[in-house]
Amino acid sequence: MSNKRSTESSIAEGLKLLYGQAVSSEDANDDQQALSFYTQALDQIESIDDGTTEDIDQVQFDIFLNICDIYIRQYKISLADVFVDKALQMANKLQEVEKLAKCLDRQGEIKRLKGDYDN
């Protein structure tokens, strides 16, 4: 049992490190490096085999939304759409109104960039 906890702890520490590096890269306007770190962090989350905790879900939401923001800045609208949908799923799972609002804001921005003012 303690071996499992130490593995979970090392995964959590690795995830924090990757997330921190991604945010730092994004702050330094190095979107490609940030995407690489975010992808590695998502891979690490997927490697957790027995469900995720709310803390991990929170981080996963932030990663999805941050990736969406990068793709919006790069005008890769279809990719931004994919990640805002993933963030929206996490926001619904977490049942947090603020996170839902952030997703709706990004969806509105994506529609604006597409020139889709009908809906």
Side-chain angles (χ1 to χ4, degrees), residues 9 13 22-23 33 40 45 47 49-50 61 72 75 92 95 97 101 111:
S9 177
E13 288 303 312
V23 170
Q33 187 66 43
Q40 290 174 55
I45 290 170
S47 75
D49 59 351
D50 62 343
F61 169 84
I72 286 172
Y75 296 100
N92 283 321
Q95 297 181 344
V97 175
K111 282 184 164 282

Side-chain angles (χ1 to χ4, degrees), residues 49-64:
D49 59 351
D50 62 343
T52 58
T53 65
E54 188 172 327
D55 289 342
I56 299 287
D57 290 343
Q58 298 277 351
V59 171
Q60 194 170 18
F61 169 84
D62 290 339
I63 291 170
F64 288 148

Side-chain angles (χ1 to χ4, degrees), residues 5 8 14 20 26 28 30 37 39 64 72 74 80 92 95:
R5 282 195 182 126
E8 288 173 356
E26 198 172 353
D30 188 351
F37 286 128
T39 302
F64 288 148
I72 286 172
Q74 294 178 346
N92 283 321
Q95 297 181 344

Side-chain angles (χ1 to χ4, degrees), residues 20-37:
Q21 289 173 316
V23 170
S24 293
S25 295
E26 198 172 353
D27 289 345
N29 295 317
D30 188 351
D31 288 343
Q32 289 312 116
Q33 187 66 43
L35 285 171
S36 175
F37 286 128

Side-chain angles (χ1 to χ4, degrees), residues 1-12 47-53:
M1 186 73 154
S2 66
N3 189 26
K4 184 177 178 182
R5 282 195 182 126
S6 78
T7 301
E8 288 173 356
S9 177
S10 67
I11 289 172
S47 75
I48 302 170
D49 59 351
D50 62 343
T52 58
T53 65

Side-chain angles (χ1 to χ4, degrees), residues 26 31 34-35 38 66-75:
E26 198 172 353
D31 288 343
L35 285 171
Y38 285 136
N66 290 350
I67 290 173
C68 172
D69 289 341
I70 289 171
Y71 286 137
I72 286 172
R73 282 195 302 274
Q74 294 178 346
Y75 296 100

